[in-house]
Amino acid sequence: MILAVRRRSVAVADRRWGARLGATVGLLVAVVALLLAPATPASAHAVLVSSSPAASAVVPSGPAEVVLTFSEGVRKVPGKIRVIAPDGSRADRGEPSFKGAVVTVPVDPAGGRGTYLVSYRVISADSHPVSGAFTYSVGAPSPQPVDSGTENRADPVVETAVKVAKYLGYAGLLLLVGPALVLAALWPRRLSRRGPARLGWAGLGLVLLATLAELWLQVPYTVGGGLLDVTGSGLGDVLGSVYGTAHLVRLGLLAAAAFLVRPLFAGPVGRTDGIILALLGGAALFTWPLAGHPAASPAPAVSVVVDAVHLGSMAVWLGGLVMLAVFLLRRADERELAAILPIWSRWAALAVAALLLAGTVQGLIEVATPKALVDTTYGRLLLAKIGLFALVIAVAAYSRSLVRRRTAAQRPAPVRRAIWVELAITAVVLGVSANLVQTTPARTAGADVAGTPTGYYATTLSSPLYSLQVELDPAARGNNSMHLYAYSKDNRPQPVAEWRATAALPSAGIEPIEIPLLPLTDNHVTGEINLPAAGEWKFRFTVRTSDIDQATVTATVPIK
């Protein structure tokens, strides 16, 4: 008997030693990734503020270089900065140099007279691509050349896949944190841990899958290709960036945590293992803001900490709700629920308070002005998230009142129904959040970068032949830049034989104005138009895809 007890003790000690060894290996992976991380200054959603030669300028002789100056520091996307000569050949020579916000492109000064096209695609510090184009002329203007290189815009399928991966990562995080927290502190000893353990492993798997998917998708998202347009060099560039480093650190920390959650999912663990697991989880939370907007905010240290608190509070609250709804309210008896629910109610209140405080601080940093809340996509998404969150708080208040009246333990059905309503609404909130982290922050979208009022309008118009993505910036009185992208019905770039666009303001008696369009690729054109008055402008686009096939689509655009 004594020998059996000793063997059991040795086996438990061996398992704990193995778990800690595995956690140490995972931590070493994270540390190596941190040591290899590049030092990059903070910036966000860079905007081209000036160029030399200036856009649309006519210079007497060919320059030896084209200089692009952005509002913030940027990183290179290989092969995505091009200067096209009037005859359609490449005028740039050698690789462009990057020094903070300034990009210098060597150009052949002996090129011919005429109009040159400069197209660019770079990466801002928060991992989002920034692209555009402009022209300048040597001697005198000529017909604009066409860039026959690869498309400078991300595939819509890739953009959607990135948002889906973000959503799965958030869902996996709460499914991992909820079981780990409840099993460590609130789970009755008499109940089996098999169900919560399966849920926790599923959550860990989702986070791992989402992290790997984000690393893979970041390559075509930044370079501008399809789902399978991933090369070794492109993947190497992503892994060598701050974005890639944050994801590698996350993978290392998750690997370390996996060795410690295994004994937790099997039974109670010691205090030391619990503390180590909590520290690993807290460190992993910081990898989300370090790979997104917070790391590039005006106050990066504050934003990163606040966003990590926001994310952790969400995972604790929603993960705990899942455990209550799926397991505890169904399996625990009245005596156990009477002990568990008051404790959980206090924890949930603290998590919600932290969530509100962190969200308020982050919103103030990212939005900057009240006007940006309604004038930018980021602000409107944030308002939608706030509205949904208010609904969740109302339902949570009802659940808390049941716990305070001490009726929840005797009649758990009303609490369980309320929790399912909370989870249904928060599933939508997570979807809004996944879009929010991929949207230009209001502080940047609403900034006056070049001394002109800025805004943005984008929509997708459909016809039987194609879908047309329309982007108008700043969608205000005065000069506006327009970009048109044509796609086939299966979301592939649609070659266009001829483009035509007009704008009219019938309410002010302004007849249709022809918009001159400059082809950048076979499915992408840009144009400049001066809109003299505010109002509901009627835009009309005619796209001919072959000698006999063409279709016209229209859009009403509010101009401020």
Side-chain angles (χ1 to χ4, degrees):
M1 180 68 179
I2 295 175
L3 182 60
V5 172
R6 286 180 177 175
R7 287 178 177 174
R8 192 178 301 113
S9 300
V10 171
V12 171
D14 287 344
R15 284 198 299 270
R16 288 182 177 176
W17 183 86
R20 291 173 183 175
L21 178 62
T24 303
V25 173
L27 278 175
L28 287 176
V29 173
V31 170
V32 170
L34 282 173
L35 291 176
L36 297 177
T40 305
S43 59
H45 282 84
V47 177
L48 183 67
V49 294
S50 66
S51 65
S52 177
S56 303
V58 179
V59 296
S61 59
E65 61 185 21
V66 172
V67 180
L68 310 177
T69 303
F70 293 87
S71 58
E72 307 283 356
V74 294
R75 292 189 291 110
K76 177 175 69 174
V77 178
K80 289 297 183 177
I81 297 183
R82 299 184 288 268
V83 181
I84 308 301
D87 61 0
S89 63
R90 293 283 293 271
D92 51 302
R93 297 290 182 266
E95 288 294 319
S97 63
F98 285 70
K99 291 185 178 180
V102 179
V103 180
T104 303
V105 188
V107 176
D108 181 7
R113 292 165 58 88
T115 297
Y116 288 72
L117 170 67
V118 181
S119 65
Y120 60 88
R121 184 180 182 88
V122 293
I123 305 300
S124 55
D126 60 357
S127 76
H128 292 281
V130 178
S131 60
F134 65 91
T135 62
Y136 69 90
S137 301
V138 176
S142 67
Q144 295 94 337
V146 176
D147 186 356
S148 59
T150 56
E151 173 61 68
N152 259 359
R153 180 181 177 276
D155 190 320
V157 176
V158 173
E159 293 179 335
T160 302
V162 170
K163 295 175 183 178
V164 171
K166 298 283 186 186
Y167 186 91
L168 292 178
Y170 294 147
L173 182 64
L174 69 91
L175 293 179
L176 172 60
V177 171
L181 179 65
V182 172
L183 288 176
L186 297 177
W187 192 254
R189 288 181 176 271
R190 70 176 185 84
L191 297 181
S192 171
R193 293 177 174 239
R194 180 174 299 178
R198 288 177 177 174
L199 189 64
W201 285 121
L204 180 61
L206 273 179
V207 177
L208 288 172
L209 176 64
T211 303
L212 293 173
E214 288 173 18
L215 284 173
W216 176 275
L217 292 170
Q218 186 67 9
V219 179
Y221 180 62
T222 54
V223 174
L227 285 173
L228 301 180
D229 293 333
V230 177
T231 62
S233 60
L235 190 59
D237 290 337
V238 169
L239 294 177
S241 67
V242 174
Y243 179 90
T245 301
H247 282 69
L248 290 176
V249 169
R250 186 187 306 166
L251 290 174
L253 292 172
L254 288 173
F259 286 96
L260 294 176
V261 296
R262 184 178 180 182
L264 172 63
F265 289 164
V269 296
R271 183 177 180 181
T272 301
D273 287 348
I275 293 174
I276 295 174
L277 185 58
L279 292 175
L280 289 175
L285 286 175
F286 281 89
T287 63
W288 271 272
L290 286 172
H293 293 153
S297 79
V302 175
S303 292
V304 167
V305 172
V306 165
D307 198 71
V309 171
H310 188 82
L311 191 61
S313 301
M314 177 276 296
V316 168
W317 179 34
L318 299 185
L321 288 179
V322 170
M323 287 293 292
L324 281 175
V326 177
F327 299 109
L328 286 175
L329 291 176
R330 293 177 178 273
R331 299 183 182 180
D333 58 32
E334 181 179 337
R335 181 181 58 82
E336 291 166 339
L337 288 177
I340 292 171
L341 290 178
I343 298 174
W344 165 250
S345 182
R346 289 192 293 271
W347 288 5
L350 288 174
V352 170
L355 198 63
L356 283 172
L357 179 60
T360 300
V361 174
Q362 191 66 5
L364 291 173
I365 293 174
E366 297 293 353
V367 175
T369 64
K371 188 173 183 293
L373 272 176
V374 294
D375 288 349
T376 65
T377 301
Y378 187 96
R380 289 189 288 270
L381 283 172
L382 186 59
L383 287 176
K385 183 178 177 180
I386 292 171
L388 290 168
F389 190 72
L391 289 177
V392 176
I393 293 298
V395 179
Y398 168 72
S399 300
R400 185 170 173 80
S401 69
L402 293 178
V403 174
R404 284 182 169 179
R405 292 200 300 264
R406 301 184 183 279
T407 60
Q410 300 170 358
R411 297 174 55 246
V415 177
R416 187 164 59 244
R417 285 194 294 268
I419 289 175
W420 280 116
V421 172
E422 288 183 60
L423 291 174
I425 300 174
T426 51
V428 181
V429 173
L430 288 180
V432 174
S433 299
N435 278 275
L436 201 61
V437 297
Q438 291 300 113
T439 303
T440 304
R443 59 181 163 80
T444 302
D448 187 0
V449 177
T452 58
T454 61
Y456 186 73
Y457 174 85
T459 188
T460 300
L461 308 173
S462 296
S463 78
L465 295 179
Y466 58 83
S467 63
L468 184 69
Q469 180 162 333
V470 180
E471 299 175 357
L472 187 66
D473 185 20
R477 287 181 299 173
N479 291 326
N480 284 261
S481 297
M482 173 176 287
H483 285 267
L484 304 177
Y485 303 87
Y487 291 91
S488 62
K489 304 307 288 185
D490 58 354
N491 277 330
R492 296 182 178 276
Q494 171 64 59
V496 175
E498 183 181 2
W499 304 78
R500 186 169 182 268
T502 62
L505 185 59
S507 62
I510 299 177
E511 296 296 321
I513 301 171
E514 191 80 23
I515 304 174
L517 298 174
L518 167 67
L520 299 180
T521 67
D522 57 1
N523 83 309
H524 176 199
V525 295
T526 185
E528 299 290 326
I529 182 173
N530 187 288
L531 302 176
E536 299 291 321
W537 282 77
K538 310 296 182 183
F539 284 79
R540 183 181 178 89
F541 308 98
T542 300
V543 176
R544 181 166 63 84
T545 58
S546 69
D547 291 338
I548 59 174
D549 296 317
Q550 77 173 33
T552 299
V553 291
T554 60
T556 300
V557 182
I559 301 299
K560 299 179 180 179

